[in-house]
Structure formats: structure tokens, C-alpha cells
Amino acid sequence: MKNIYTPADIERIVDSTIGRLDEIAELDAPRQALWYERRRVFIDAVGRQVAAEVLATRGAGKAKVLVFAGDGICGAYALACATALHQAGCPARVVLFNIGGDMLIPDTKSARETFLQVAGDLFLEEVINPGPGFTMPEMTRRTIVVDGIFGSEYKKPLRGGYQAVARHINEQGPQVISIDLPSGMTTDLGVGMINRNIVHADLTLTLVGPTLAFFMPENAELIGSWKTLDVPFDEDAMNSTRCSTRMIDARAVRTVLPSRPSIASKNDLGDVLIFAGSYGMLGAAVLATRAATRSGCGRVTCHGPRCGFYVMQSSVPSAMFTTDGGDVDIRRFENPRECEGVAIGPGIGKSDETVRGLEIFLKACFAAGKPLILDADALNCMTVKPSMIDFIPARSILTPHAGEFDRLFGAQSSHASRVLKALEMAARHKIVIVLKGHYTLTVWPDGSIVVNSSGTEALATAGSGDVLTGLMAGFVAQKMMPEVAAVAAVYVHGVAGRLASSVYGVQGTTAEDIADAIGPAIDSILNPRQSGASTSKS
């Protein structure tokens, strides 16, 4: 798994690598010289790698390159990039902001002198007194802009002239490559940022690695795509960093997926019980149940209303169907066979009888310490009677999309605030919360967050969440810990979506296709060299 860093992690790693200017200033002259040289070597390394990305973007074309540099270390990176571009035969014009004429830190002064030696002063415009005399340089959509005004060291919103520069760049729409971070963006889960006052990057070149802010949907237009530069950070600082947020990958999922022994019987592979369906919502029950049967578990039972009998028996004949006698909805929630993987929610509605039955079952499971998977209408039922939240069994998995989350835990102004609330609720109730989205986030009770990397737009289809619920129940039934089952199911679900879309196309993929692709998805992860199984139907 890949680390996702906090702003504090990044600051500590950078400081361990190149030191802090205020601390360097207190050293004797010989040691100051050593640290300044160390910083220069590091800045040059960043500049060369940024220049390589600019040249790759430019390709064989003759697009103009315009570099904006601030007065801090990000400006030094930008100047080093411009120097490397000139050395590679790519003339780049630099706009250096040095308001008042004395704002440059020593690194930026040094980088400016090096640039002037290589490129000459015709390619440098130093902005000292921004005002009527300053005119923004011309740019078109073909222009490549290197944004090195401010990086993660700048922790305030852009103001005044800087804000105007960001807006102008965004309005002109050039190809923007931001160093470290788009200027004006913060690395924490900032709430209330005004995106038009922040540079919008097509590519963000982060130094240490991404922060959780990179995966917030409201920041997608700011970050663009992103890449971590391969620059030489202090190894001890990197190795000693223990990140509580990480991004899952196939290798990690492979180590936790259950493997089936050759002599196994269905009795060895776990039982799933899914409470799903109501009149007019039986498709959700079909999808969740079908996904569970594809998960590798031994048996699947769907409990639903009587109106679902013929639908379920004909649509998912490999699963069993039980009912408590309600004609159109579920009245009683019981688990007489003590199934290990129990999911509640897809299409159950929120009638008075269903809400009452769910409350009784939640309290029984809470007292017995038996975790559940709660999705869709199970969450909506809890909004009808919020006191039920206090009886969610520990280590249960909740799988809300944004609307369900806000109805359950209160309206949130952004996904960033939603994540912060999820951390609070997961810790308070000792539950796992799966915040669904392109980058689905699984929040554990201990404050850990796992970011999914297999998301695809093909999953944006009705019933996709029901498929995830059934798959998750299947994994829990196979004795996976709920925290791990949630992460693994989300990843496999994404891979299944990708496989299904390779057959039916992104727009043509349905939830049924995703459910049927679960088996090939699991096989492709467990046996990557043998992947490529078709999901097409005969």
C-alpha cells in the first residue's frame, strides 16, 4: 500500500532533508554553507524532474512555456525548472514575484542568479511593484504554465494580486503543471476554500507524496492528475513515518483474500444472510444476493417479503429465500442459523414495521456483539429513529453515499467535512464507515483511513452499491475481519467494474454486469499472470 501523508508528515520530512532556514541562520558559517549547498542540490533535483515533465507534456510541439515563481522555496523550484528547460533547448519565460524587492529567501535568490547566468535577463520579468504597470503575460490554451508561486509552505488563501494571477490563469485555460501543490490550495482538509481563487492544475507534481486532500472530489479540478517526484528525501525520516492513511493496491488485497482449499465443502466457506427487498425494490435484493453468491462463500440466504419469492427463486436460484410473512416489506429480522455475514438494507424501504423490526434486531446484535453490514435503506431507517445509531454493534460496516451519510450524521458542506465527521463517528461508535465515491474511503474505528485505487466511472450506475453490500457480506462470512473485508470488497468491486466495462463499455455497464464480473475480478487479483478472463455472457 502507498502512504498518504499528513501536512505535518510532509513538513517534517522536508525539514529533515534540507533543514529550516531559521535554524540554519543560527549555525556558524561553515555549517551554514553545508546546509545551503544541501538545499541547492535538492532544489536542482526537483527542478530537473519538473522540467522533464514539462518537456514530456510539450512533446515535439513548440508550445510556449511560461513559469510563475514565488519568493519562497516553491519559487526556487520553479526557477531551477526554468534553468533546466533552457539547458535542454526549451526557452521558458519566468515571471518572478518579489514584492517590494526584498522578499526572496536565499534559495530563490541563488536560483535566480543561476537562471540569469544560463538564460539571460530577457527571459526574466521580476515583479516588484504590482500595479497598473504590471501586465499579465499572454497565454493561450496551448501554453504550458509552470505554477511555482506557492506550495505547501504557504498556508493562507491567496490575496490581492496573487488572487488575480490565479484567476487570470484559470480563465485563459493553459496547460498548468503545479509544483508541490496548486498555488492557493492547502494540504489539510480545508473547508470553505474558494476554488476560483486557486490555480487549477492539469498535473500536480507532489514532492513527498499526496495528502488526503488530493482525494476530495471538491479538489479534483484543482489537482488534476498527480504524480510523486522521485527526489532524494532523508531516508530515516521517510522510514520512521507511520501514516494512518494509505492507498490500497492489488498486492495488499491479494494477501487478505480468502483462498479456497481443494477439499473444501460449502459448509467450510461461510453463510451469508441478506435482508433485502420490498414491493417495487426487489431488484436491489437480486443484485446484493447475486453478488454474495459470486464472493466465494458457501451459502447465501436472502430474507425478504413474500412478494419476492418467485423473483428471487428465478433470478438467483443458487440462493435460498426466506420470509417472515410480510407481503410487501420485512417485519422481523432474525438470524436463526447464526450466519457469519449479515447485511441489511438494499431495497427494504422504511415502513413503520420495517423500522420497528430493525430496531429490535439492532439491539439484539448490539448486546451480543455481532457486527452487521448496514447499507441503503437500513441507514435511512435509522434517520427515521436516530436513537438506533447508538445500538449499531461494534465493528459493523456502514456503506453510505454522500446523501445517506448526511441524512444520518448531519448535513456537511463538503466531502472534506464529511471525512472529518466520519472519523469522529467511527471512533465514537467503534464502527467502520465506507464513504462511497470515485476514491472510496474506508474509515476504521482507530482513525485509520484506506483510500481505494480501483474506482471507475462505470460504477456510477443504479444498484452498484447493492452489489458492494452483497460482496462485503460474502467476505465477512469467509471469516475476514470486518475492517479488512470492507477494504477488500471495495477494491474487488472496482476491479469488477473495470472488467465489466471492458466488455460492455463504461456507459453500458449495469450493476448486473458488475456482479457477474466479481469472480473474474477475484481471479485477476489472486492470479495476476492469468488475468484476462472474459465476463461476457453466452
Side-chain angles (χ1 to χ4, degrees):
M1 291 197 289
K2 296 180 180 178
N3 285 337
I4 297 174
Y5 299 88
T6 66
D9 290 333
I10 292 174
E11 185 173 353
R12 181 177 58 81
I13 291 169
V14 172
D15 288 348
S16 296
T17 303
I18 61 175
R20 294 173 56 92
L21 284 176
D22 55 347
E23 294 176 354
I24 294 173
E26 297 178 358
L27 301 176
D28 56 46
R31 286 191 294 171
Q32 279 189 10
L34 288 173
W35 275 104
Y36 282 135
E37 176 62 14
R38 187 171 179 172
R39 291 174 70 93
R40 186 195 65 78
V41 170
F42 180 83
I43 290 167
D44 286 349
V46 172
R48 286 193 300 272
Q49 290 202 31
V50 175
E53 294 294 333
V54 173
L55 294 172
T57 301
R58 192 172 186 246
K62 300 296 183 182
K64 294 182 179 179
V65 179
L66 181 60
V67 178
F68 288 92
D71 50 41
I73 193 167
C74 200
Y77 299 146
L79 285 161
C81 163
T83 299
L85 287 172
H86 276 269
Q87 291 171 332
C90 174
R93 181 183 174 190
V94 175
V95 177
L96 172 62
F97 294 99
N98 182 18
I99 309 304
D102 59 352
M103 296 295 292
L104 303 186
I105 64 172
D107 304 308
T108 315
K109 288 181 181 178
S110 175
R112 177 185 60 183
E113 296 311 309
T114 301
F115 175 77
L116 289 172
Q117 291 171 11
V118 171
D121 56 9
L122 289 178
F123 289 94
L124 176 66
E125 179 181 2
E126 191 165 343
V127 181
I128 296 175
N129 296 307
F134 172 66
T135 303
M136 281 288 296
E138 293 183 1
M139 63 186 82
T140 68
R141 293 189 179 277
R142 293 186 66 250
T143 305
I144 298 174
V145 167
V146 177
D147 165 32
I149 304 173
F150 296 117
S152 57
E153 79 281 359
Y154 192 81
K155 298 176 173 59
K156 299 177 292 184
L158 295 183
R159 300 181 185 277
Y162 291 122
Q163 189 180 101
V165 170
R167 289 187 182 182
H168 183 80
I169 293 172
N170 296 338
E171 290 166 1
Q172 299 305 307
Q175 299 180 74
V176 178
I177 298 175
S178 287
I179 304 173
D180 189 19
L181 202 66
S183 293
M185 182 180 167
T186 60
T187 51
D188 58 7
L189 293 183
V191 177
M193 291 191 300
I194 302 174
N195 283 12
R196 66 175 180 160
N197 296 338
I198 301 169
V199 172
H200 293 194
D202 297 285
L203 173 64
T204 298
L205 300 174
T206 179
L207 274 60
V208 177
T211 70
L212 193 54
F214 278 49
F215 305 99
M216 299 297 103
E218 57 264 28
N219 293 337
E221 67 177 349
L222 306 179
I223 294 289
S225 58
W226 60 271
K227 181 176 182 180
T228 302
L229 296 178
D230 184 18
V231 289
F233 284 105
D234 182 83
E235 289 188 11
D236 290 339
M238 292 291 287
N239 294 336
S240 64
T241 301
R242 297 290 178 264
C243 294
S244 61
T245 302
R246 291 178 291 175
M247 174 174 276
I248 194 70
D249 55 25
R251 180 178 298 179
V253 174
R254 190 178 306 129
T255 64
V256 300
L257 282 178
S259 58
R260 179 174 294 192
S262 58
I263 59 173
S265 74
K266 63 183 179 182
N267 296 319
D268 302 319
L269 301 174
D271 285 7
V272 168
L273 173 60
I274 299 177
F275 295 95
S278 61
Y279 185 78
M281 293 292 290
L282 295 172
V286 170
L287 292 168
T289 305
R290 181 181 293 183
T293 65
R294 298 290 190 183
S295 69
C297 64
R299 279 187 292 258
V300 180
T301 300
C302 176
H303 183 96
R306 290 177 62 187
C307 64
F309 179 80
Y310 291 110
V311 172
M312 295 303 301
Q313 291 288 270
S314 59
S315 299
V316 198
S318 58
M320 294 177 284
F321 181 78
T322 62
T323 181
D324 53 63
D327 289 329
V328 297
D329 53 18
I330 300 173
R331 308 294 180 87
R332 294 196 307 274
F333 295 78
E334 298 173 343
N335 184 13
R337 296 180 55 232
E338 296 295 322
C339 296
E340 296 93 340
V342 180
I344 308 174
I348 65 172
K350 49 182 181 178
S351 69
D352 292 344
E353 292 82 359
T354 299
V355 172
R356 189 179 303 113
L358 177 59
E359 181 181 19
I360 293 170
F361 188 61
L362 274 182
K363 289 180 177 179
C365 293
F366 179 83
K370 294 182 177 179
L372 304 167
I373 298 161
L374 301 169
D375 179 39
D377 279 338
L379 305 177
N380 293 329
C381 285
M382 285 189 279
T383 65
V384 174
K385 195 164 187 181
S387 60
M388 283 197 279
I389 296 174
D390 294 327
F391 295 98
I392 300 174
R395 303 183 73 195
S396 290
I397 305 170
L398 278 62
T399 62
H401 57 59
E404 291 165 344
F405 183 92
D406 287 6
R407 286 193 291 272
L408 190 61
F409 296 117
Q412 305 299 317
S413 60
S414 66
H415 202 64
S417 66
R418 199 167 289 117
V419 172
L420 296 174
K421 189 68 174 181
L423 285 164
E424 177 190 344
M425 293 297 102
R428 178 184 300 177
H429 299 287
K430 298 181 174 58
I431 56 178
V432 179
I433 298 178
V434 177
L435 284 173
K436 292 186 289 194
H438 181 78
Y439 291 111
T440 293
L441 308 179
T442 302
V443 181
W444 289 357
D446 67 356
S448 299
I449 299 177
V450 182
V451 179
N452 185 52
S453 63
S454 66
T456 166
E457 57 271 35
L459 297 176
T461 185
S464 174
D466 303 319
V467 172
L468 176 61
T469 296
L471 174 59
M472 211 171 279
F475 283 170
V476 172
Q478 295 173 75
K479 296 181 171 55
M480 293 180 68
M481 294 187 298
E483 298 86 349
V484 176
V487 171
V490 168
Y491 186 86
V492 172
H493 185 243
V495 175
R498 291 179 183 274
L499 290 177
S501 67
S502 71
V503 176
Y504 301 105
V506 170
Q507 286 85 353
T509 296
T510 66
E512 298 97 302
D513 304 326
I514 299 168
D516 289 340
I518 287 173
I522 293 173
D523 280 347
S524 73
I525 296 167
L526 290 176
N527 307 293
R529 295 181 182 177
Q530 302 172 24
S531 62
S534 174
T535 65
S536 60
K537 301 172 184 176
S538 58

